[in-house]
């Protein structure tokens, strides 16, 4: 039961959605773009957010697109995690999607919602940070398409009233060797202690993490160390663990110290698997 | 036997898979007002001011209640708990105000507008803190509260709500002669029942003052009694109904929500009001499982015979006692686990803290003390160089042994532990249980633990059963037992069918309890349904059989002693070919000529416990329960020495259930208990922050086992009948949990080579323990 | 563009029938099913999407009805446990294999299993079964019984 009164908008076009949202903002309302809704519903029930209007983007054709062509893969922001996983078009992203929440919720949670939500893990961002993905946003200037990395810094940095429409992933990334693992406290259905995604381009490993710090990140410094084959595995692992962008995250799921321990074991396994040709 | 020993389907099975089974909050809500709670945001604070004016102004709000609206204190043993906090809050989550409104949304809106001004007080979060010199008192005068029983002993000027003592033999002398001694401190955090159905209750009061309460409760007759006494309403004016209950595990024994629903209804002129707790409040506000700290010292001789034990248990009962003092008593009564120990000192304390208050939880604290004692026994076995399972065989309680409270054991009274241990050894492929390396950095190991439990009901607990017949010759069974999943109704149907010599399919069990129509049963708790209600059912069946024989004798023209009842027929032993079918005789008999013979058959049976006693306060001598159930359990793990993660491979239980009534039902209920033990031991805990605020009151951050991590559960039985119990069956429904936390911890201690002393067994905690060990040795 | 403010009448397609209901935009599908349509098979267990007791099937896929607004469900095909009418293979399997005790989580599990069979008419690999069923929590059984019931649903299809 959500106690607050909400106005519900279901636009059929991007322009309708944007206009409705913009007008609501001008009126001083607190609108939210709404896709899968799981986070908005639970937080509204708990009283931690009180949106006065929601703009449901699930019937906007551009947001529902899921297709691959010569340029690569195009994923509408309102595609569910389960659709992405079942499509098998981008195995690394599919693997990430398959470990967020649980299966039933994966049929609800959308790519856009996972990226734009307030829960800190945003695990779908990891494959996108690694794959030179681009993102289409609709706002005051109409549609703009920019590198994903230019608008995602721990979370999406959008312009006022802007809505995420699509993600574009270049073709090479869809077939590239990859690695994905998510470690939790000890229950499979849980937030990550450490979730890592790696993708290889031209023999170089790219890697991004969630759960390790208070936001998801990709680090060129860590990548440089891990790709330095002149150093033994354990030295690379230890070095990489010293290069986090901030102190490791600590909460009831696990202490920062323990997350580092998990990270090191995980990097060990990753590098060994790679060395042994298992990836 | 025709019915006993058969795996029939649950009587309510089809109702449950088609959603015909209705639970409290499934009843129509049209025209029913909704109530919502505001709860404390402090672990311990004075309430300086509550301003409800904004809440009252919300459209649809009918009333707002606070502590001043109900001066009565509640509690089944010690009346220390207000319905809504008065002047002071003693735990984060404590109910502070109650809003009644048209619709949940209006009620919740109003709740968020209530302004409470608190003045924080110091608080205590563990029994050790609460017992420390100068600790803040959770209750100013615990000894000043009214007691409803004589054997609860709050200590003035302390946080001790009660204390029980066992003094047996000469402990000091015995320790002096021991070859091996272990002395360790153990701890378990509080956790939650987490029945899938949140607690829910409804109340309405008719204009002439009749009270109707519908509730998700294991104890409808306690609801009637407590409401009657607290509000001075004659018990006959109160009707309590319990439809299906979505899991209880002890958590729905306390009378809690019913009081609030009653107050809510009373505040709006008796209109029907529903109160269903959001999951977060069901966890943080409603009673939870106790936490426990224990100091255990055990000593053994050269042969590995345990000669002496010194134990102190400190139960964390949270802010209010509820029935925790009796859990402290129950721990003392069974404190040795099922082993014969001649010299024993035990102090079991029930300690107030500023946690959510606790109540009975599946096995009544046995899972907690068993963890401590069975871990200590493993450590002692290691010190003696004896296989832990052999150690248990050597010390197993047997006929002639004395329990801690000096009850003489017999096969009927306690069952056969030796047989359980031998059987579980084979079932689990024990082979010593030591860690075996199966690949690089990976070992497999097993741990064993025994269990036993005697219930602690009031010495005069009673039950009843009514039997009526249908025109097709089938029978209706009506008892006060609540259907909450533990299968009692199905077992009772089989007991009745066996006794009446009919197909269990012809027994219809009334699933709901209505205190107006169902004969009173103490409460559906302590796994006593098969014993207590079962005995009433046997008597009701005897009563019905007597009447059938009377009718049969008259109809068949022979003496009643010659009449036999079987296969749904009444006949003379001398001439079985000439019979009368049940359908033609249960409402009396009519001859072809139309002559009426005999009377309609109505079976009734009642039963009251006999021969139980309170513990004497000095040495703790006495018999608190009718009998024991015991068993042995083994858990096998595969553990990574590198990552400290582990997988539970198998879990085995062999339990002496007296008599197997329904093999599959009994197996599944015991396996369910084991599963709860695995979940509890491996991941469950209430985590509090530095201000004493619970951090995980929801199903996202509070971990429960999901499918995919379950081990291979193996269950087998030993059958040593309990004299006087229907067909010899023992209590068994809660017991599957008892030894699992200990067995798992024993397995992991063997795997990691480090003695585990606390729960839950998360990889991080194991990693930290091993790391600290290593750091110390450096 | 659809816009709903305050109480509005919408039509929901539930168990093969159109139903008119009057809802606030913030009303959850779970509450509307239970309180307006009397379909109490979907149970509130956490109202946070964590326990799965409120699972229904929307357009052939499992959905936690506590995480769906009633207004969103407009135009979709909703199936609840009542719509199975006791005829779904999984219902018989649950009875036979003792896959529940208190019965409170049962409807949710049944709907996940039924949706699994809709999407995977032939028995999928074990890890797929686990993935789907990990969306739900059962506090009474050991899960072994539920797993057995799912196998039974596939193995006794013709019965």
């Amino acid at each position: 039961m959500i106690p607050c009164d909400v106005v519900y908008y279901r636009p059929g076009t991007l322009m309708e959605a944007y206009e409705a949202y913009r007008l609501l903002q001008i009126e001083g309302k607190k609108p939210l773009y709404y896709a899968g809704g799981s986070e908005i519903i639970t937080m509204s029930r708990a009283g931690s957010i009180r949106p006065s209007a929601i703009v449901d983007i699930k019937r906007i054709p551009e947001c529902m697109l899921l297709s691959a062509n010569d340029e690569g893969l195009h994923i509408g922001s309102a595609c569910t995690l389960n659709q992405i996983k079942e499509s098998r078009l981008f195995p690394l992203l599919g693997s990430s999607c398959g470990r967020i929440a649980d299966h039933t919720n994966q049929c609800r949670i959308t790519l856009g919602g996972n990226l734009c939500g307030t829960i800190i893990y945003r695990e779908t961002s990891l494959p996108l940070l690694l794959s030179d993905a681009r993102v289409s946003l609709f706002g005051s200037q109409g549609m703009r398409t920019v590198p994903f990395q230019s608008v995602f810094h721990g979370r999406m940095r959008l312009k006022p009233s802007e809505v995420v429409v699509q993600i574009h992933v270049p073709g090479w990334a869809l077939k590239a060797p990859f690695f994905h693992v998510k470690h939790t406290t000890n229950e499979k259905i849980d937030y990550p202690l450490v979730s890592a995604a790696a993708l290889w381009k031209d023999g170089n490993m790219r890697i991004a993490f969630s759960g390790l710090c208070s936001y998801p990140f990709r680090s060129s410094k860590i990548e440089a160390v891990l790709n330095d084959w002149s150093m033994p595995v354990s030295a690379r692992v230890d070095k990489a663990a010293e290069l986090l962008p901030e102190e490791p995250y600590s909460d009831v799921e696990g202490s920062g110290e323990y997350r580092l321990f998990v990270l090191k074991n995980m990097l060990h396994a990753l590098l060994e698997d790679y060395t042994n040709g298992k990836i | 036997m025709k019915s006993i020993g058969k795996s029939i389907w649950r009587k309510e099975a089809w109702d449950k898979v088609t959603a015909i089974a209705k639970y409290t909050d499934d009843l129509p809500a049209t025209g029913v007002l909704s109530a919502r709670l505001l709860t404390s945001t402090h672990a311990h604070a004075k309430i300086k001011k509550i301003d409800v004016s904004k809440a009252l102004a919300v459209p649809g709000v009918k009333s707002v209640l606070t502590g001043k609206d109900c001066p009565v204190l509640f509690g089944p043993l010690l009346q220390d708990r207000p319905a809504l906090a008065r002047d002071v809050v003693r735990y984060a989550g404590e109910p502070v105000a109650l809003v009644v409104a048209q619709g949940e949304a209006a009620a919740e809106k109003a709740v968020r507008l209530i302004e409470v001004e608190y003045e924080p007080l110091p608080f205590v979060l563990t029994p050790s803190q609460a017992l420390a010199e100068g600790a803040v008192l959770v209750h100013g005068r615990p000894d000043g509260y009214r007691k409803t029983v004589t054997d609860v002993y709050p200590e003035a000027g302390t946080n001790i709500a009660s204390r029980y003592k066992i003094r047996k033999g000469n402990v000091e002398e015995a320790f002096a002669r021991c070859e091996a001694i272990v002395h360790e401190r153990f701890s378990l955090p509080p956790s939650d029942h987490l029945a899938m159905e949140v607690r829910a209750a409804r109340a309405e009061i008719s204009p002439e003052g009749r009270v109707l309460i519908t509730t998700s409760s294991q104890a409808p007759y306690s609801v009637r009694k407590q409401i009657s006494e607290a509000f001075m309403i004659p018990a006959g004016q109160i009707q309590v109904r319990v439809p299906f209950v979505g899991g209880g595990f002890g958590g729905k024994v306390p009378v809690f929500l019913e009081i609030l629903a009653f107050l809510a209804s009373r505040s709006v002129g008796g209109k029907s009001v529903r109160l269903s707790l959001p999951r977060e409040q069901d966890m943080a506000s409603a009673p939870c499982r106790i936490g426990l700290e224990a100091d255990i010292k055990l000593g053994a001789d050269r042969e590995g015979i345990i000669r002496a034990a010194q134990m102190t248990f400190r139960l964390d009962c949270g802010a209010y006692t509820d029935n925790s003092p009796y859990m402290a008593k129950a721990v003392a009564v069974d404190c040795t686990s099922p082993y014969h120990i001649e010299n024993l000192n035990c102090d079991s304390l029930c300690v107030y803290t500023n946690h959510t208050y606790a109540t009975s939880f599946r096995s009544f604290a046995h899972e907690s003390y068993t963890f401590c004692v069975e871990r200590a026994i493993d450590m002692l076995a290691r010190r003696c160089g004896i296989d832990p399972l052999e150690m248990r065989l050597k010390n197993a309680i047997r006929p002639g042994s004395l329990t801690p409270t000096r009850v003489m054991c017999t096969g009927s009274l306690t069952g056969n532990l030796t047989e359980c241990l031998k059987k579980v050894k084979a079932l689990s492929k024990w082979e010593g249980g030591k860690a075996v390396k199966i690949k690089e950095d990976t070992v497999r190991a097993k741990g064993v633990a025994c269990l036993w439990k005697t219930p602690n009901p009031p010495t005069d607990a009673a039950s009843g059963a009514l039997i009526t017949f249908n025109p097709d010759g089938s029978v209706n069974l009506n008892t006060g037992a609540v259907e909450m999943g533990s299968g009692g109704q199905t077992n009772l149907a089989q007991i009745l069918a066996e006794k009446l010599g009919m197909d269990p399919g012809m027994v219809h069990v009334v699933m709901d309890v209505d205190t107006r129509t169902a004969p009173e049963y103490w409460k559906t708790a302590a796994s006593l349904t098969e014993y207590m209600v079962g005995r009433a059912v046997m008597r009701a069946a005897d009563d019905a059989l007597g009447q059938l024989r009377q009718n049969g004798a008259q109809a068949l023209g022979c003496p009643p002693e010659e009449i036999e009842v079987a296969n749904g027929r009444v006949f003379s032993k001398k001439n079985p070919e000439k019979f009368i079918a049940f359908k033609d005789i249960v409402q009396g008999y009519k001859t072809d000529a139309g002559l009426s013979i005999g009377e309609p058959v109505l079976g009734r049976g009642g039963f009251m416990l006999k021969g139980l006693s309170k513990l004497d306060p000095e040495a703790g001598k006495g018999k608190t329960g009718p009998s024991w159930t015991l068993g042995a359990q083994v858990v096998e793990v595969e553990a990574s020495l590198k990552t400290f993660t582990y997988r539970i491979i198998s879990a085995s239980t062999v339990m002496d259930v007296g008599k197997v009534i329904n093999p599959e039902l009994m197996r599944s209920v015991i396996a369910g208990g084991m599963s709860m033990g695995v979940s509890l031991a491996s991941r469950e805990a209430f985590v509090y922050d530095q201000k004493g605020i619970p951090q995980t009151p929801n199903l996202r951050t509070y971990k429960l086992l999901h499918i995919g991590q379950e081990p291979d559960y193996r269950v087998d039985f030993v059958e040593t009948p309990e004299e006087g119990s229907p067909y010899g069956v023992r209590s068994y429904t809660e017991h599957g949990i008892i030894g699992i936390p200990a067995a798992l911890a024993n397995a992991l201690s063997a795997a990691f080579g480090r003695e585990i002393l606390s729960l839950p067994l998360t990889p991080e905690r194991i990693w930290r323990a091993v790391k600290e060990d290593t750091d110390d040795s450096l | 563009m659809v816009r709903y403010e305050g109480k509005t009448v919408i039509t929901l397609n539930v168990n093969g029938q159109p139903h008119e209901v009057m809802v606030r935009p913030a009303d959850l599908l779970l509450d509307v099913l239970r309180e307006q349509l009397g379909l109490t098979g979907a149970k509130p267990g956490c109202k946070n999407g964590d326990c799965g007791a409120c699972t229904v099937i929307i357009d052939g896929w499992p959905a936690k009805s506590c995480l769906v607004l009633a207004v969103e469900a407009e135009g979709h095909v909703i199936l609840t446990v009542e719509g199975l009418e006791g005829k779904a293979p999984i219902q018989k399997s649950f009875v036979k294999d003792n896959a529940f005790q208190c019965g409170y989580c049962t409807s949710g599990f049944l709907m996940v299993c039924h949706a699994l069979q809709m999407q995977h008419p032939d028995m999928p690999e074990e890890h797929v079964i686990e993935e789907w069923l990990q969306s739900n929590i059962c506090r009474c059984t050991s899960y072994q019984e539920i797993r057995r019931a799912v196998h039974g649903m596939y193995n006794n299809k013709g019965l």
Side-chain angles (χ1 to χ4, degrees), chain A residues 1-12 16-17 20 29 34-38 41-43 45 54-56 58-59 82 85-86 98 102-108 188-189, chain C residues 1-6 24-28 31 46-50 55 61-64 66-69 71-76 112 119-120 127 130-136:
Chain A
M1 181 269 313
I2 299 171
C4 48
D5 294 314
V6 180
V7 187
Y8 175 78
Y9 291 80
R10 191 163 60 217
E16 275 180 359
K29 300 269 176 59
Y34 180 99
S38 50
I41 289 177
T42 51
M43 292 178 71
R45 184 186 64 87
I54 52 176
V55 180
D56 185 350
K58 286 197 296 295
R59 307 245 173 131
N82 185 59
K85 187 179 79 172
E86 297 244 334
D102 56 53
H103 176 269
T104 299
N105 285 331
Q106 286 158 17
C107 298
R108 259 309 269 182
K188 188 177 165 202
I189 304 299
Chain C
M1 177 167 58
V2 173
R3 180 180 181 280
Y4 294 136
E5 181 170 7
R24 298 154 64 234
D27 282 344
L28 304 175
D31 292 334
C46 66
K47 290 201 166 182
N48 203 46
D50 299 323
T55 305
W61 291 90
K64 295 182 181 178
C66 74
L67 292 187
V68 179
L69 300 175
V71 288
E72 280 182 85
E74 231 185 347
H76 295 283
V112 170
Q119 299 299 331
H120 298 270
H127 77 89
E130 275 181 18
E131 256 169 43
W132 280 61
L133 268 65
Q134 272 163 352
S135 307
N136 295 45

Side-chain angles (χ1 to χ4, degrees), chain B residues 30-358:
Chain B
T30 320
V32 180
L33 297 173
S34 296
R36 300 280 283 192
L37 275 176
L38 175 74
T39 61
S40 163
T41 50
H42 290 264
H44 197 192
K46 271 188 195 154
I47 300 174
K48 304 274 282 183
K49 203 175 99 187
I50 304 183
D51 184 352
V52 301
S53 53
K54 284 184 191 153
L56 278 167
V58 172
V61 169
K62 304 292 179 194
S63 75
V64 181
L65 296 161
T66 62
K68 68 176 168 40
D69 296 302
C70 181
V72 191
L73 293 177
F74 298 87
L77 307 177
L78 190 65
Q79 296 187 333
D80 57 2
R81 182 173 58 85
L84 293 164
R86 289 168 59 80
D87 308 325
V88 60
V89 289
R90 297 186 172 91
Y91 68 96
E94 178 162 4
V96 169
L98 183 65
V99 175
V100 186
Q102 209 158 1
E104 269 196 317
E108 181 60 26
K109 264 185 214 171
V111 161
R112 293 179 187 182
L113 292 171
I114 298 171
E115 290 163 11
V116 187
E117 200 183 307
Y118 294 105
E119 181 187 315
L121 295 169
F123 52 83
V124 284
L125 292 178
T126 62
S128 301
Q129 284 173 15
L131 294 172
E133 190 76 27
V136 69
L137 293 183
V138 179
H139 293 264
R141 289 225 27 217
D143 53 319
Y145 291 125
R146 198 175 95 80
K147 296 178 185 181
T148 66
V149 292
T150 53
D151 55 346
V152 53
Y153 314 103
E155 297 180 11
T158 74
N159 283 313
I160 298 172
S162 200
R163 183 199 297 260
Y164 302 88
K165 287 189 284 195
I166 306 281
R167 297 288 181 270
K168 204 176 109 180
N170 189 331
V171 169
E172 270 179 37
E173 246 180 57
F175 270 121
R177 289 197 307 271
C178 287
E179 296 276 323
I181 291 176
V182 294
H183 192 176
E184 287 293 348
R185 174 164 291 191
F186 300 89
S187 69
L188 297 84
S191 65
D192 204 21
H193 305 83
L194 274 231
M196 292 317 297
E197 179 202 25
V198 290
R199 293 166 177 90
R202 283 181 187 203
E204 60 184 276
I205 307 164
S206 76
E208 71 268 42
R210 278 183 292 117
V211 178
L212 172 63
I213 291 175
T214 309
T215 174
S216 168
S217 169
Q218 296 174 241
Y221 301 92
S222 305
V223 173
R224 184 175 68 182
K225 181 164 183 277
Q226 287 197 30
I227 300 268
S228 165
E229 288 172 0
F231 300 103
M232 289 180 281
I233 301 167
Q237 290 284 83
I238 301 167
Q239 180 180 8
V240 180
R241 290 192 308 206
V242 174
F244 282 94
V245 171
F249 315 116
K252 290 173 181 169
V253 168
V255 184
F256 167 63
L257 224 47
E258 297 86 356
I259 296 161
L260 294 168
F262 170 81
L263 289 170
S265 174
R266 197 179 66 174
S267 74
V268 293
K271 287 197 184 71
S272 181
V273 179
R274 65 195 269 237
L275 175 55
S276 176
L277 291 185
R279 176 59 72 183
E280 293 79 2
Q281 288 182 350
D282 195 70
M283 295 179 76
S285 303
C288 64
R289 180 186 141 263
I290 56 149
L292 178 67
E293 292 174 358
D295 293 312
I296 309 289
K297 185 178 173 191
L298 295 179
D301 64 16
R302 198 183 306 265
E303 275 73 48
I305 305 296
I306 305 169
R307 293 296 179 190
Q310 171 90 47
M311 307 177 175
T312 306
F313 297 98
R314 296 179 291 273
L315 282 74
D316 174 356
C317 78
Y320 300 103
T321 46
D322 198 72
N323 56 14
S324 295
Y326 275 8
M327 280 193 275
K329 180 175 78 163
V331 165
V333 165
D334 285 340
C335 66
T336 52
S337 231
Y339 309 109
H340 175 66
I341 304 178
E342 263 167 53
N343 303 291
L344 167 70
N345 280 2
C346 170
D347 288 88
S348 187
L349 281 67
C350 179
V351 184
Y352 283 123
T353 67
N354 293 108
H355 277 155
T356 301
Y357 75 102

Side-chain angles (χ1 to χ4, degrees), chain A residues 225-260:
Chain A
V225 169
L226 293 178
N227 283 309
D228 182 355
W229 291 89
S230 65
M231 287 200 286
V233 165
S234 54
R236 276 185 282 162
V237 167
D238 289 345
K239 190 93 189 287
E242 287 166 10
L243 294 171
L244 304 189
E246 63 172 24
E247 284 294 297
Y249 192 62
S250 240
D251 69 355
V252 290
E253 309 282 345
S255 67
E257 204 188 354
Y258 181 63
R259 280 173 209 256
L260 272 186

Side-chain angles (χ1 to χ4, degrees), chain A residues 184-186 193 252-255 258 261-262, chain B residues 185-190 292 371 643-646 680-687 748 752 754-773:
Chain A
T184 56
T185 306
N186 63 352
L193 284 176
V252 290
E253 309 282 345
S255 67
Y258 181 63
F261 172 75
V262 173
Chain B
R185 174 164 291 191
F186 300 89
S187 69
L188 297 84
L292 178 67
F371 168 78
T643 64
F644 301 99
T645 54
Y646 63 89
L680 173 81
S682 62
R683 61 203 71 203
E684 293 182 40
F686 271 171
V687 181
L748 289 173
F752 292 111
R754 207 268 173 199
E755 301 296 358
I756 287 165
L757 305 174
S758 65
L759 294 183
L761 299 164
T762 61
E764 175 166 6
R765 291 168 59 89
I766 299 168
W767 166 74
R768 198 168 288 284
V770 172
K771 189 167 142 319
E772 277 162 12
D773 255 15

Side-chain angles (χ1 to χ4, degrees), chain B residues 457-525:
Chain B
T459 52
D460 61 346
S463 62
L466 292 175
I467 297 171
T468 58
F469 286 87
N470 299 307
D472 62 352
S474 64
V475 54
N476 306 308
L477 175 60
N478 188 3
T479 75
V482 168
E483 168 44 52
M484 55 183 185
S486 37
Q489 313 273 17
T490 304
N491 285 329
L492 292 175
Q494 286 179 268
I495 287 169
L496 178 58
E498 184 71 37
K499 182 80 179 160
L500 292 179
M502 64 200 291
D503 187 298
M506 292 292 272
V507 178
H508 305 287
V509 188
V510 180
M511 291 290 164
D512 306 1
V513 173
D514 183 332
T515 56
R516 274 237 197 288
T517 52
E520 178 160 348
Y521 174 36
W522 165 58
K523 54 180 81 157
T524 306

Side-chain angles (χ1 to χ4, degrees), chain B residues 574-585:
Chain B
K574 291 185 176 160
N575 184 12
E577 277 80 60
K578 196 173 163 226
F579 63 84
I580 304 171
F582 266 22
K583 70 179 174 60
D584 298 321
I585 199 164

